[in-house]
Amino acid sequence: MELTIESIEEVLSHLYGNGERDLDLRSVRFIDPFALLLLDLALRDARANRTPLHVEWPTLPAVRRWMTDMRFFADTRVVSPDLPLPEAGTALQPIVTIEDEDHVSRLVEAFDRRLSERFPLDDAPRRRFLRILLELCQNIPQHSNATGDVPDPHGIAAMQDYDDGILLAIADKGIGFRRSLALREDLGGLDDAAAVSSVVLDGISRFRDPGHGCELQRIFRLVRSWDGTVAIRSGRAFLYHGPLGGEIYDVAPFPGVQIALRIPRRVFGIGEPPSDERRVAAEGDSRFNE
Amino acid sequence: MNRMNSTSIDIARFGRRLGTRSEGASARREIVSAIDRLPDDGQLVLSLHGVDVLSGSFADEAIGKTCQLLTSGAHGDRTMVIASPSVDLTEDLSDKLAQRKLAILCRVDRAAPPWRVLGQLARPLVETLELLMDRESATTKELAEALGIAPNVCHNRIRHLVQLHLVREERMGVSAPNTQYRFHSIV
């Protein structure tokens, strides 16, 4: 079992569609940052609603090690399973909390440092990536609680590199696109799918000022031009656009906005890892989490 | 007239990675204040040297909204241009200006040609602007002849460029039936 952009919906449907409170993740062999952030927010959401989840954590040491290195257990305040872990981890950018706008520049600097330490990146794509990061991070303090009635939107971000690309995930459990757009009188009647489409495909925002909006639209177009993958979830709508095309799907309801960008390594001017490294990873306990 | 009073602001003084709308709003206050201190025909050069990343949100708050103010006429004939070490640094700024249907001239180091238009400007307007920049100054009639277009078409183009503060107009005196103007490149 793998928990990824493409498969985490099964878990959310189990919890938010069927109302189950038990979650068995023991057989999970791989988790990507998007799935990890959604698990994080689901745990917090359940706790806030006083309906805690009973989770059986992955038994594979490499997966638990990655989750620990990604600060998942620290961020969710879940007691980590008391099992032996492998010594070396490969987490690229552990989960960070996006508290306010003043915090965003420091956070982006940390991401830049992590990336630069691991890869000699070309300057132009590195700048484009940091601009994407700046826009996505500041959306959380600016929009996730625009109505002022969400006690803790809990914006978080994480990043991991793989053989085929770098995956950036940013998520919150705030008001989501539909309620944000509804702050404009003329956009009050949209459902979640129409709201996602309006924001991402049409560049509409809750502000009438022409300089606002279009950031997600531009990011969406940019990542598509790189043959990357864009996944954007808000409420009951999930926009998924991969190299073969895209669509907006109906999904189980979940608060806030969750975004994943999978950007091919060649965009950054970094090749695939040496074949020896790929072989070792493929033969290990986990495809990527090791 | 195109040797106008000019002053420069290094955007890097606000940080190397720029950033958020609130950071942009703070920067805008300083930029507008610097424009206010210029003489009537003065020019502000916003230098991006030393900046690593310029996000669209910061650019819109700091530069896009200032451009909007200039085109509203709130600051008279003062103009603003950008100086950048690279084209990619200005990508999001250009998108944001286009969203506002504005444009600004940008000088890029070691680029040929050194000046380019950021934002949204229709091709015929770019053509007219480039011709005026080559000649440094001209009347509508001279530009229309050089471009091979009707004077009224050229007049509409040049009025649009004046409104965007991409060229400067100089009143030459009144002669019936219309006031005569000469137009000057701002760079």
Side-chain angles (χ1 to χ4, degrees):
Chain A
M1 181 185 186
E2 296 185 346
L3 297 182
T4 64
I5 296 173
E6 289 81 6
S7 65
I8 188 64
E9 282 309 321
E10 289 175 35
V11 171
L12 295 176
S13 174
H14 176 73
L15 299 177
Y16 287 84
N18 305 337
E20 298 286 343
R21 309 319 295 161
D22 296 323
L23 188 57
D24 186 354
L25 303 179
R26 284 176 296 181
S27 62
V28 168
R29 295 177 55 82
F30 172 77
I31 308 179
D32 74 18
F34 183 69
L36 194 71
L37 297 194
L38 274 159
L39 272 182
D40 183 312
L41 295 179
L43 282 165
R44 285 179 171 273
D45 188 51
R47 202 179 299 140
N49 292 325
R50 300 176 194 278
T51 54
L53 303 179
H54 308 290
V55 185
E56 298 277 4
W57 297 106
T59 56
L60 205 62
V63 175
R64 285 202 319 279
R65 171 72 205 221
W66 183 78
M67 292 173 76
T68 305
D69 288 349
M70 291 297 276
R71 299 193 67 253
F72 173 82
F73 297 111
D75 193 65
T76 54
R77 296 182 201 149
V78 168
V79 177
S80 171
D82 187 18
L83 293 167
L85 297 176
E87 280 185 15
T90 57
L92 178 54
Q93 173 60 60
I95 295 172
V96 290
T97 307
I98 304 159
E99 290 161 359
D100 52 45
E101 259 194 81
D102 293 342
H103 187 225
V104 167
S105 292
R106 288 199 304 278
L107 187 149
V108 169
E109 200 168 314
F111 271 68
D112 186 23
R113 193 167 52 247
R114 290 269 186 172
L115 265 177
S116 301
E117 282 170 2
R118 188 160 295 188
F119 305 110
L121 298 176
D122 289 351
D123 216 28
R126 181 187 65 86
R127 285 172 167 170
R128 286 195 188 101
F129 180 73
L130 295 182
R131 292 204 302 265
I132 288 173
L133 195 55
L134 277 163
E135 298 294 358
L136 293 179
C137 286
Q138 71 180 295
N139 275 350
I140 289 175
Q142 280 186 0
H143 300 294
S144 66
N145 191 19
T147 52
D149 60 357
V150 181
D152 175 23
H154 199 68
I156 45 179
M159 176 173 65
Q160 185 62 54
D161 59 306
Y162 300 108
D163 282 0
D164 58 350
I166 290 174
L167 199 159
L168 169 70
I170 293 189
D172 68 73
K173 59 182 186 71
I175 60 173
F177 291 148
R178 182 177 54 78
R179 289 190 60 204
S180 177
L181 291 182
L183 292 169
R184 262 176 66 169
E185 284 177 12
D186 58 329
L187 297 173
L190 302 179
D191 61 17
D192 285 318
V196 167
S197 176
S198 296
V199 171
V200 181
L201 304 182
D202 303 330
I204 292 171
S205 89
R206 67 188 167 94
F207 297 103
R208 289 181 186 274
D209 178 73
H212 281 81
C214 294
E215 278 86 10
L216 275 176
Q217 183 192 44
R218 198 164 61 243
I219 290 167
F220 178 69
R221 287 177 178 169
L222 190 59
V223 176
R224 277 185 58 190
S225 75
W226 290 336
D227 293 327
T229 297
V230 181
I232 301 180
R233 198 191 197 290
S234 183
R236 293 173 178 271
F238 179 52
L239 182 155
Y240 178 87
H241 200 293
L244 300 178
E247 199 167 327
I248 297 177
Y249 300 91
D250 291 330
V251 288
F254 191 78
V257 176
Q258 299 83 39
I259 298 173
L261 308 177
R262 189 187 285 137
I263 302 170
R265 291 169 72 110
R266 61 170 168 70
V267 171
F268 296 96
I270 49 176
E272 291 187 358
S275 56
D276 283 356
E277 285 181 28
R278 288 208 305 277
R279 182 175 53 75
V280 169
E283 290 173 356
D285 283 337
S286 162
R287 275 198 308 140
F288 301 103
N289 285 159
E290 190 173 53
Chain B
M1 189 160 169
N2 57 349
R3 294 280 178 261
M4 60 203 65
N5 292 304
S6 165
T7 190
S8 179
I9 287 185
D10 287 328
I11 294 292
R13 72 203 262 186
F14 305 110
R16 287 191 69 237
R17 292 185 185 86
L18 306 162
T20 63
R21 282 200 174 266
S22 58
E23 291 167 343
S26 299
R28 186 177 71 246
R29 285 189 279 278
E30 288 196 39
I31 293 168
V32 170
S33 172
I35 290 173
D36 281 337
R37 291 194 298 274
L38 288 169
D40 288 347
D41 63 346
Q43 182 171 87
L44 183 67
V45 180
L46 293 178
S47 170
L48 302 183
H49 294 86
V51 173
D52 183 35
V53 177
L54 179 68
S55 79
S57 290
F58 181 96
D60 183 55
E61 283 292 333
I63 303 171
K65 287 186 175 177
T66 306
C67 272
Q68 194 99 61
L69 273 175
L70 284 177
T71 57
S72 74
H75 297 276
D77 288 339
R78 296 171 180 90
T79 59
M80 187 167 74
V81 297
I82 305 289
S84 177
S86 67
V87 174
D88 76 89
L89 195 55
T90 63
E91 283 174 356
D92 285 8
L93 166 62
S94 189
D95 286 347
K96 281 296 176 185
L97 290 169
Q99 264 178 251
R100 290 187 178 276
K101 297 184 169 43
L102 298 173
I104 195 168
L105 278 163
C106 175
R107 189 186 67 234
V108 180
D109 293 354
R110 297 177 299 280
W115 288 97
R116 63 191 60 212
V117 176
L118 305 181
Q120 178 180 298
L121 198 64
R123 186 62 224 165
L125 294 177
V126 173
E127 186 184 56
T128 309
L129 178 61
E130 285 174 348
L131 179 63
L132 186 60
M133 286 165 67
D134 282 346
R135 295 190 169 202
E136 294 192 357
S137 80
T139 61
T140 303
K141 185 166 175 265
E142 290 165 352
L143 291 171
E145 283 172 6
L147 291 165
I149 58 176
N152 64 325
V153 173
C154 190
H155 174 78
N156 290 339
R157 289 188 191 181
I158 207 82
R159 295 310 322 167
H160 197 159
L161 294 171
V162 169
Q163 191 188 357
L164 289 170
H165 285 225
L166 295 172
V167 306
R168 191 188 305 277
E169 66 181 353
E170 181 187 10
R171 191 171 169 152
M172 302 298 290
V174 180
S175 62
N178 296 315
T179 306
Q180 299 298 304
Y181 290 95
R182 190 162 188 85
F183 299 93
H184 300 267
S185 167
I186 64 166
V187 297

